[in-house]
């Protein structure tokens, strides 16, 4: 299922999924009548001042050294996520360099 979760100018921001993270994000341009961006994201997701920020799972291996802030969850399938910033005016994605460990449900 797809859910409208925000409207920014002529862009529909759509959440896709039926379960907890990871979920899909779709940006649909109403003027062009086409999808202009897709990705997967992990909560939370935020839309502010023309930017969408969200956590995205990356290939870095989750280790106890990397996941120092969440050691109690390490045995529950931890992964490393990076904070992404999507500029809605250009559809350019920037990795902010911030990382955190999250776990799959």
């Amino acid at each position: 299922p797809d859910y409208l979760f925000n409207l920014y100018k002529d862009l529909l921001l759509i959440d896709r999924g039926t379960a907890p993270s990871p979920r899909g994000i779709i940006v649909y341009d109403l003027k062009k009548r086409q999808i202009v961006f897709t990705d997967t994201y992990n909560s939370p997701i935020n839309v502010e001042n023309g930017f969408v920020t969200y956590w995205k799972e990356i290939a870095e291996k989750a280790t106890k050294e990397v996941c120092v802030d969440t050691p109690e969850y390490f045995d529950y399938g931890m992964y490393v996520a990076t904070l992404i910033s999507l500029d809605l005016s250009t559809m350019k994605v920037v990795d902010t360099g911030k990382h955190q460990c999250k776990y799959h449900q």
Side-chain angles (χ1 to χ4, degrees):
D2 293 344
Y3 305 94
L4 173 66
F5 75 89
N6 208 311
L7 175 65
Y8 177 78
K9 296 186 179 180
D10 293 324
L11 302 173
L12 291 177
L13 283 73
I14 301 165
D15 168 81
R16 175 171 281 172
T18 60
S21 297
R23 298 179 64 81
I25 178 175
I26 301 165
V27 180
Y28 183 86
D29 188 311
L30 293 168
K31 283 187 177 178
K32 294 179 182 177
R33 295 183 176 210
Q34 66 184 26
I35 293 172
V36 293
F37 181 82
T38 63
D39 202 357
T40 58
Y41 78 92
N42 296 280
S43 298
I45 188 167
N46 186 38
V47 182
E48 190 174 328
N49 298 324
F51 288 86
V52 180
T53 54
Y54 58 94
W55 293 95
K56 180 166 179 67
E57 187 171 348
I58 59 175
E60 182 177 344
K61 184 167 175 53
T63 64
K64 288 185 180 181
E65 292 76 25
V66 174
C67 302
V68 294
D69 294 336
T70 52
E72 66 274 18
Y73 299 118
F74 191 76
D75 294 329
Y76 295 102
M78 298 294 292
Y79 63 91
V80 179
T82 188
L83 187 62
I84 298 294
S85 181
L86 168 65
D87 183 337
L88 292 172
S89 63
T90 64
M91 291 301 135
K92 300 276 185 196
V93 174
V94 174
D95 184 336
T96 66
K98 295 179 182 176
H99 294 88
Q100 71 174 207
C101 290
K102 293 188 167 278
Y103 65 95
H104 293 286
Q105 280 189 307

